[in-house]
């Protein structure tokens, strides 16, 4: 029997695997949260599949998303990243990744954990929506706007409400699998 899936992932094995194994699964691991936040910032203005296809290259280029190392990147490392053909070579996004690693560490120092900080916005429990069509899923929500504003005040860049909502979906802060998708119930806590 063929499992019903969210239609946005159909037709590409990388996309389908991401949908089937990661998207919407609650993430509490600091490094994994940072990875998704970084990838989402690079995705801004592009398709998610573009980023997914370069994910391994991003991981290699950004020290497996070790935010402590990234926070220490110097201008030479940034210049090296700007010519790395395996990643999206947008200077502002590369500089934002370094900046965001520094802000991420500051959040940890200020609040004890970035995971606790971000999950506090949903009281530690994912928001489970009940969408029947992808047309019902908003590009962002008032909560995504609130988190975006908060992160910008904490020094983050490239974290607009649409990027933040995509991050919320990816890390399971919100479950936006369609109700008839086989993953809908699987990722519901």
């Amino acid at each position: 029997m063929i499992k019903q899936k969210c239609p946005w992932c159909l037709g590409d094995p990388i996309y389908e695997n991401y949908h089937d194994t990661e998207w919407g699964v609650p993430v509490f691991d600091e490094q994994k949260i940072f990875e998704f936040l970084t990838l989402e910032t690079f995705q801004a203005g592009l398709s998610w599949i573009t980023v997914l296809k370069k994910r391994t290259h991003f991981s290699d280029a950004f020290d497996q998303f070790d935010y402590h190392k990234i926070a220490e990147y110097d201008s030479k490392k940034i210049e090296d990243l700007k010519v790395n053909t395996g990643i999206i070579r947008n200077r502002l996004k590369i500089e934002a990744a370094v900046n965001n690693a520094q802000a991420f560490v500051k959040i940890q120092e200020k609040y004890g954990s970035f995971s606790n900080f971000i999950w506090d916005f949903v009281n530690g429990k994912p928001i489970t929506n009940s969408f029947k069509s992808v047309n019902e899923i908003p590009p962002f929500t008032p909560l995504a706007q609130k988190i975006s504003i908060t992160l910008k005040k904490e020094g983050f860049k490239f974290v607009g409400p649409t990027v933040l909502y995509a991050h919320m979906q990816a890390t399971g802060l919100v479950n936006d699998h369609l109700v008839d998708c086989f993953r809908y119930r699987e990722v519901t806590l």
Side-chain angles (χ1 to χ4, degrees), residues 141-182:
T141 62
L143 179 57
Q145 287 180 303
K146 178 181 176 182
I147 298 171
S148 170
I149 290 166
T150 302
L151 287 180
K152 286 177 182 177
K153 285 180 183 173
E154 295 288 348
F156 285 79
K157 295 181 179 176
F158 274 92
V159 290
T162 303
V163 167
L164 250 296
Y165 195 64
H167 180 71
M168 292 170 68
Q169 292 170 316
T171 59
L173 289 161
V174 62
N175 177 2
D176 274 352
H177 283 281
L178 300 183
V179 293
D180 63 355
C181 174
F182 83 98

Side-chain angles (χ1 to χ4, degrees), residues 52-80:
L52 282 180
K53 288 181 177 179
K54 294 178 175 278
R55 190 176 188 180
T56 302
H57 296 290
F58 272 107
S59 184
D60 292 342
F62 284 93
D63 290 296
Q64 285 65 54
F65 300 102
D66 182 333
Y67 47 87
H68 292 291
K69 286 183 180 178
I70 297 168
E72 299 296 324
Y73 283 1
D74 59 14
S75 58
K76 165 90 172 78
K77 177 64 175 181
I78 291 170
E79 290 304 315
D80 290 345

Side-chain angles (χ1 to χ4, degrees), residues 35-49:
E35 174 183 352
F36 276 115
L37 190 59
T38 302
L39 293 174
E40 292 295 348
T41 61
F42 276 94
Q43 184 268 332
L46 303 170
S47 69
W48 183 237
I49 191 63

Side-chain angles (χ1 to χ4, degrees), residues 30 67 104-117:
E30 301 275 297
Y67 47 87
F104 194 90
V105 171
K106 286 178 185 168
I107 291 272
Q108 288 178 317
E109 292 168 355
K110 189 173 179 180
Y111 297 97
S113 158
F114 190 90
S115 180
N116 290 342
F117 167 80

Side-chain angles (χ1 to χ4, degrees), residues 41-44 46 50-51 54 57-58 61-62 77-97 158:
T41 61
F42 276 94
Q43 184 268 332
L46 303 170
T50 301
V51 174
K54 294 178 175 278
H57 296 290
F58 272 107
F62 284 93
K77 177 64 175 181
I78 291 170
E79 290 304 315
D80 290 345
L81 289 167
K82 286 196 251 181
V83 296
N84 184 331
T85 57
I87 66 169
I88 295 162
R89 296 174 291 164
N90 179 300
R91 178 183 60 82
L92 294 175
K93 291 178 180 180
I94 292 168
E95 290 172 355
F158 274 92

